[in-house]
C-alpha cells in the first residue's frame, strides 16, 4: 500500500508541470489567504508588543481615579508630591523617592509630505523618568536640559514627521522648541516627544500632572502603594502597574484586529477552498485515464485517495509558504502608526512571528485537505471500464 | 491446449442508462482453454468489450458465474478483484495507456510495484519483458519519444512482466497502421505459441482475428458461432 501510494503520488506530482495553470490557482489562492491572515495578525502582534513592552511590572502608574488613560487624568502639583511620598516606593540614589511626575499634552505634527496634521504626545518628565525606563537611551544628539525649551524625539517619529531633525526648531502651540536629540526605546515611548516637565508646565500653562510613575519596592510594593494612597483623603487615584495599564490599552485593538483577521480569512479561505476543489477536480480529470489504468493494473482505491490528497496538501503547503514569505518580506518590521488610546499616534512595527506563520500554514493545510478530499474520493470511484477509454 | 482456463456460465450483464435498464449480455456461456488465443468480434454494442471486461475482472456480471484459473471472480469484492487482477491479468489497451511522465522501463515496472519483489528483482523482470518485445534499447525513452507500435510493445511488456495467467487485449491494433499492426499481432502470436499465454482479444479487424487460434462472434449479447 505504501509502495502504491508513493508510486501514484510520484506520478501525480511529476505531471504537475503539465498542469501548471490549475496548480497555480491553488498556490496563488492560498498564498493570498496566508499572506493576508499573517499580515493582519502581525499588525496586532506588533501593536501589542510595542505597547506591552513599554510597561514594566515593577513600575506603578498612578492616574486620577476613574481615568482610563493618561490623557484624561489630571493631578495637582500637591497631589503629585503626596503620591511620590507614598509608602512602598523605592528610594533613588539621591535619597528621594524614585518617581517621576509627568504631564502630557497633544501637539499637531505634520507627516512628511502630508498637509493634515497628526496628534503626537509631548511628555514632560522629571529626571527620574530615565531611571524608570532603562530601555530608553539617547541614540543621537543629547538629552534636554532642564529649564530650557528643548526636546528629544522618539525614533518612531524622526523618520515620519517634518521638523523633528536634530537642530531644527519645532513650533508647537505657539512656542518654539529646539530638537536636541533622539531616543530609542523599542516601545510606545518612541512615538513621543520628551521635555522637562517644569518647562512644559510653564510653556503650556498647566499647573498639574497627568500621571506619576513610581518604582515599586519589591513584590508587595504595588499593594503597599495602593493601600497607602487609598487611605489618604487628599488623593483619589487609581494605581496599577505600567504593564497592566498598557495591556489594557491594547485589549480593544487586539480584539478588533482578531475579529477582522478572522472574518477576512474566513471569506478568503472559502474562496480558496473552492479554488482548491477546482484545481484538484481538474487534476483528477486530466489524469482520469491514468488513474483508471493503474486501477486496472491492480492498484487499490486507497492509494488513489491518498495520492490526490498528498498532491493537494503539497500544493497548499507551497501556497502557504509563499504567502508566509510574502507577508514576512512585505510586512515584517514595517513601521506604521495609528491613533493610540491617548488620541495620539503610536508608531509600531508589524511582527511576523514564527507562531503566526505556523498558524497560517495550518490554515493552508486545512484548506488543502478539504479541497483535496472530494476530488480524491471521485478519483477512487472512477468507473474503471469507462475511464479506461477516456480521451 | 488443456482444460478450460476461463469458464463463463449463463452470464447476464445489464447497465442502467438514464432511466432504462439495458441488458448487454444475455445468458452467455463460454469456455476458453488454457493456452488459447481467442479473437472476439462483433458489431459495436454487441457486448464484446463488456465480456472482455468481465473476464479481465474489471467489472462484475449481473448474474451468472465466471471462473478464471479455478477462481470464481464473480464472487470477489472490489478490493479482492483488484489484487486478483494484479496477479493474474495483463491488460493491453487500444491507446496503450502508458504513463506519459515515466520512461518505458518505469511503465513496465508498474505492475511489479504491487508484488513483494525487490528493486533488483524488478529491474531484472523489466529487462526480460522489454527483451521479449524487442525494445531493450528504448528502455529509457518516454512514451512521447516512441512510435505508436513501440508504445504498444511497451504496453505488452507491462502486461507480461508479472507473468499473468491471461492477457486481455482490447483492440490492441486499433490505432496502428497495417504493417505495425501485423508486427504487434505477430508478437502476441509468439507469446501465445512459444510462451503459452492465454489471450483474449477484442477486435474489429478480420485480419487481426486471423492471428488468433479461433474467433468468436458476438451479436446482441449472444455468441453466434465458433469459427475454428
Amino acid at each position: 500500500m505504501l509502495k502504491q501510494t508513493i508510486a501514484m503520488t510520484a506520478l501525480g506530482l511529476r505531471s504537475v508541470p503539465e498542469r501548471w495553470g490549475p496548480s497555480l490557482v491553488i498556490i496563488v489562492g492560498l498564498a493570498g489567504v496566508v499572506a493576508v491572515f499573517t499580515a493582519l495578525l502581525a499588525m496586532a502582534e506588533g501593536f501589542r508588543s510595542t505597547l506591552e513592552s513599554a510597561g514594566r511590572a515593577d513600575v506603578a502608574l498612578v492616574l486620577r481615579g476613574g481615568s482610563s488613560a493618561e490623557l484624561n487624568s489630571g493631578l495637582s502639583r500637591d497631589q503629585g508630591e503626596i503620591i511620590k511620598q507614598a509608602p512602598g516606593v523605592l528610594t533613588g540614589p539621591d535619597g528621594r523617592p524614585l518617581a517621576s511626575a509627568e504631564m502630557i499634552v497633544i501637539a499637531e505634527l505634520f507627516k512628511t509630505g502630508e498637509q493634515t496634521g497628526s496628534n503626537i504626545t509631548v511628555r514632560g518628565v522629571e529626571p527620574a523618568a530615565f531611571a524608570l525606563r532603562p530601555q530608553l537611551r539617547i541614540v543621537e544628539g543629547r538629552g534636554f536640559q532642564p529649564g530650557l525649551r528643548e526636546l528629544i524625539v522618539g525614533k518612531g517619529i524622526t523618520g515620519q514627521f517634518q521638523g523633528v531633525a536634530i537642530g531644527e526648531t519645532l513650533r508647537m502651540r505657539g512656542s518654539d522648541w529646539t530638537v536636541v536629540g533622539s531616543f530609542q526605546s523599542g516601545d510606545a515611548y518612541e512615538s513621543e516627544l520628551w521635555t522637562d516637565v517644569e518647562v512644559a508646565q510653564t510653556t503650556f500653562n498647566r499647573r498639574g500632572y497627568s500621571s506619576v510613575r513610581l518604582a515599586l519596592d519589591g513584590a508587595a510594593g504595588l499593594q503597599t502603594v495602593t493601600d497607602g494612597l487609598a487611605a489618604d483623603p487628599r488623593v483619589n487615584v487609581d494605581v496599577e502597574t505600567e504593564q497592566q495599564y498598557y495591556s489594557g490599552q491594547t485589549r480593544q485593538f487586539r480584539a478588533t484586529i482578531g475579529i477582522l483577521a478572522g472574518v477576512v480569512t474566513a471569506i478568503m479561505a472559502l474562496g480558496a477552498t473552492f479554488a482548491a476543489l477546482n484545481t484538484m477536480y481538474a487534476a483528477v480529470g486530466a489524469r482520469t485515464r491514468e488513474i483508471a489504468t493503474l486501477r486496472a493494473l491492480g492498484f487499490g482505491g486507497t492509494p488513489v485517495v491518498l495520492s490526490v490528497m498528498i498532491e493537494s496538501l503539497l500544493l497548499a503547503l507551497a501556497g502557504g509558504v509563499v504567502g508566509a514569505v510574502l507577508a514576512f518580506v512585505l510586512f515584517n518590521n514595517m513601521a506604521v502608526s495609528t491613533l493610540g488610546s491617548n488620541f495620539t499616534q503610536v508608531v509600531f512595527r508589524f511582527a511576523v512571528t514564527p507562531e503566526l506563520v505556523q498558524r497560517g500554514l495550518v490554515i493552508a493545510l486545512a484548506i488543502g485537505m478539504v479541497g483535496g478530499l472530494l476530488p480524491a474520493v471521485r478519483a477512487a470511484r472512477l468507473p474503471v471500464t469507462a475511464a479506461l477509454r477516456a480521451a | 491446449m488443456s482444460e478450460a482456463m476461463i469458464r463463463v456460465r449463463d452470464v447476464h450483464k445489464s447497465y442502467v442508462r438514464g432511466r432504462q435498464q439495458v441488458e448487454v449480455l444475455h445468458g452467455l456461456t463460454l469456455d476458453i482453454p488454457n493456452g488459447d488465443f481467442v479473437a472476439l468480434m462483433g458489431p459495436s454494442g454487441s457486448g464484446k468489450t463488456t465480456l472482455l471486461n468481465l473476464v479481465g475482472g474489471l467489472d462484475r456480471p449481473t448474474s451468472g458465474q465466471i471462473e478464471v484459473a479455478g477462481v470464481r471472480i464473480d464472487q470477489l469484492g472490489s478490493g479482492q478483484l483488484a489484487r486478483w487482477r494484479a496477479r493474474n491479468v495483463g491488460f493491453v489497451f487500444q491507446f496503450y495507456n502508458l504513463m506519459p511522465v515515466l520512461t518505458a522501463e518505469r511503465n513496465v515496472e508498474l505492475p511489479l510495484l504491487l508484488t513483494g519483489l525487490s528493486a533488483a528483482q524488478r529491474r531484472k523482470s523489466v529487462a526480460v519483458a522489454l527483451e521479449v518485445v524487442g525494445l531493450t534499447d528504448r528502455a529509457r525513452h518516454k512514451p512521447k519519444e516512441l512510435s505508436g507500435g513501440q508504445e504498444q510493445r511497451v504496453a505488452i511488456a507491462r502486461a507480461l512482466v508479472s507473468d499473468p495467467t491471461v492477457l486481455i487485449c482490447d483492440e490492441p491494433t486499433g490505432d496502428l497502421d497495417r504493417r505495425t499492426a501485423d508486427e504487434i499481432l505477430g508478437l502476441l502470436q509468439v507469446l501465445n505459441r512459444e510462451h503459452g499465454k492465454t489471450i483474449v482479444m477484442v477486435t474489429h479487424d478480420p485480419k487481426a482475428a486471423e492471428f488468433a487460434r479461433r474467433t468468436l462472434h458476438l451479436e446482441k449479447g449472444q455468441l453466434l458461432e465458433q469459427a475454428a
Side-chain angles (χ1 to χ4, degrees):
Chain A
M1 169 111 125
L2 183 67
K3 229 183 328 181
Q4 289 186 42
T5 307
I6 292 171
M8 292 194 96
T9 309
L11 268 177
L13 292 179
R14 289 174 71 163
S15 64
V16 163
E18 289 162 23
R19 300 180 266 119
W20 259 126
S23 302
L24 267 181
V25 169
I26 231 181
I27 294 180
V28 171
L30 282 169
V33 172
V34 172
V36 168
F37 172 82
T38 312
L40 279 174
L41 289 184
M43 181 162 76
E45 180 64 23
F47 191 70
R48 184 191 65 77
S49 75
T50 298
L51 285 190
E52 280 186 2
S53 59
R56 291 167 56 101
D58 57 358
V59 171
L61 179 67
V62 184
L63 301 176
R64 186 184 64 203
S67 325
S68 58
E70 279 186 276
L71 188 70
N72 54 28
S73 161
L75 301 163
S76 70
R77 288 180 72 89
D78 292 344
Q79 286 174 326
E81 282 310 313
I82 293 165
I83 293 164
K84 284 198 259 182
Q85 301 298 334
V89 179
L90 273 182
T91 306
D94 56 357
R96 293 162 52 82
L98 189 51
S100 168
E102 303 179 354
M103 183 200 99
I104 63 169
V105 292
I106 291 178
E108 195 180 33
L109 257 61
F110 293 91
K111 282 193 181 171
T112 315
E114 280 183 24
Q115 296 301 317
T116 51
S118 302
N119 289 340
I120 294 293
T121 299
V122 180
R123 182 181 295 273
V125 299
E126 293 186 326
F130 294 93
L132 289 167
R133 298 167 174 95
Q135 76 275 21
L136 187 148
R137 55 199 172 81
I138 306 283
V139 289
E140 220 180 320
R142 57 173 173 84
F144 56 82
Q145 283 205 356
L148 296 179
R149 277 188 193 162
E150 291 184 344
L151 287 170
I152 55 173
V153 180
K155 265 285 173 200
I157 291 182
T158 46
Q160 294 203 31
F161 289 88
Q162 305 170 17
V164 291
I166 291 174
E168 285 191 291
T169 302
L170 191 61
R171 190 161 182 81
M172 294 189 302
R173 296 185 160 214
S175 53
D176 289 329
W177 298 74
T178 308
V179 179
V180 296
S182 70
F183 65 89
Q184 199 166 19
S185 61
D187 54 33
Y189 297 122
E190 274 189 14
S191 310
E192 297 180 346
L193 308 177
W194 278 27
T195 186
D196 177 22
V197 69
E198 300 285 343
V199 175
Q201 282 175 332
T202 43
T203 308
F204 297 127
N205 200 19
R206 299 276 183 97
R207 287 170 185 281
Y209 303 107
S210 305
S211 61
V212 180
R213 278 172 171 72
L214 307 168
L216 294 169
D217 187 6
L222 182 69
Q223 198 56 47
T224 314
V225 170
T226 309
D227 293 345
L229 291 176
D232 193 326
R234 294 170 295 174
V235 290
N236 169 26
V237 293
D238 288 337
V239 184
E240 55 186 342
T241 66
E242 257 193 328
Q243 209 168 53
Q244 289 166 342
Y245 172 76
Y246 282 114
S247 173
Q249 299 291 304
T250 64
R251 198 168 296 135
Q252 180 70 39
F253 179 79
R254 276 184 294 155
T256 310
I257 286 288
I259 291 168
L260 182 68
V263 170
V264 172
T265 306
I267 293 169
M268 290 188 69
L270 192 66
T273 305
F274 281 106
L277 276 170
N278 190 41
T279 298
M280 293 319 293
Y281 272 129
V284 168
R287 295 180 57 206
T288 297
R289 190 140 71 104
E290 197 173 301
I291 292 171
T293 304
L294 292 168
R295 298 281 279 135
L297 296 183
F299 281 73
T302 313
V304 174
V305 172
L306 290 177
S307 73
V308 174
M309 293 293 291
I310 291 170
E311 182 177 325
S312 173
L313 287 173
L314 286 177
L315 288 175
L317 187 66
V321 169
V322 169
V325 168
L326 271 182
F328 188 83
V329 170
L330 293 180
F331 296 114
N332 195 38
N333 258 337
M334 185 174 87
V336 290
S337 59
T338 182
L339 225 44
S341 56
N342 280 335
F343 298 104
T344 54
Q345 295 283 318
V346 173
V347 177
F348 63 94
R349 292 175 185 285
F350 279 58
V352 178
T353 62
E355 198 241 335
L356 287 183
V357 169
Q358 193 187 331
R359 277 161 71 183
L361 292 183
V362 166
I363 289 176
L365 287 177
I367 292 172
M369 183 102 121
V370 174
L373 190 61
L374 291 177
V377 170
R378 175 188 279 187
R381 287 189 176 168
L382 276 178
V384 175
T385 50
L388 275 173
R389 293 172 159 239
Chain B
M1 282 189 280
S2 51
E3 65 191 51
M5 166 69 86
I6 299 169
R7 270 184 229 273
V8 178
R9 290 288 176 274
D10 192 26
V11 160
H12 292 257
K13 178 67 188 176
S14 39
Y15 294 102
V16 179
R17 269 192 207 125
R19 289 185 186 171
Q20 274 191 320
Q21 178 126 351
V22 183
E23 186 164 280
V24 184
L25 297 179
H26 316 289
L28 199 122
T29 293
L30 167 72
D31 278 349
I32 297 175
N34 189 12
D36 202 354
F37 182 176
V38 179
L40 287 177
M41 294 192 74
S44 295
S46 60
K48 54 191 190 303
T49 297
T50 302
L51 177 60
L52 193 76
N53 288 339
L54 290 174
V55 169
L58 289 174
D59 209 349
R60 270 172 293 185
T62 310
S63 67
Q65 301 178 2
I66 300 175
E67 191 181 299
V68 180
V71 178
R72 278 283 299 277
I73 62 169
D74 59 287
Q75 294 177 330
L76 298 179
S78 62
Q80 292 170 308
L81 207 52
R83 284 189 290 279
W84 175 83
R85 283 198 302 272
R87 282 194 306 273
N88 295 283
V89 188
F91 289 96
V92 179
F93 305 101
Q94 179 176 358
F95 299 109
Y96 331 126
N97 292 26
L98 299 177
M99 306 296 138
V101 295
L102 298 184
T103 59
E105 60 185 359
R106 291 286 174 200
N107 265 293
V108 174
E109 188 190 15
L110 281 172
L112 298 180
L113 297 177
L114 304 170
T115 65
L117 294 182
S118 69
Q121 289 169 312
R122 293 203 298 268
R123 258 198 308 278
K124 208 168 146 192
S125 302
V126 168
V128 171
L130 281 172
E131 197 185 331
V132 169
V133 299
L135 275 186
T136 305
D137 57 335
R138 297 282 170 172
R140 301 278 161 91
H141 290 245
K142 288 191 176 169
K144 63 174 178 229
E145 299 158 353
L146 300 172
S147 69
Q150 287 171 329
E151 281 195 77
Q152 195 60 298
R153 282 169 188 269
V154 174
I156 291 172
R158 179 179 67 187
L160 285 177
V161 73
S162 54
D163 193 24
T165 323
V166 186
L167 284 187
I168 297 289
C169 308
D170 189 3
E171 303 267 14
T173 57
D175 199 40
L176 299 174
D177 61 64
R178 182 76 264 154
R179 199 169 63 85
T180 315
D182 286 350
E183 281 171 22
I184 292 295
L185 291 160
L187 175 61
L188 290 176
Q189 212 169 38
V190 169
L191 292 173
N192 173 249
R193 300 220 166 126
E194 294 176 19
H195 299 263
K197 292 291 167 200
T198 306
I199 301 177
V200 185
M201 170 177 81
V202 160
T203 182
H204 272 108
D205 174 11
K207 287 222 165 71
E210 284 171 14
F211 285 81
R213 288 181 193 268
R214 59 193 179 118
T215 302
L216 301 178
H217 288 274
L218 273 155
E219 205 167 306
K220 294 179 182 164
Q222 282 178 325
L223 226 42
L224 278 189
E225 74 220 70
Q226 292 203 353

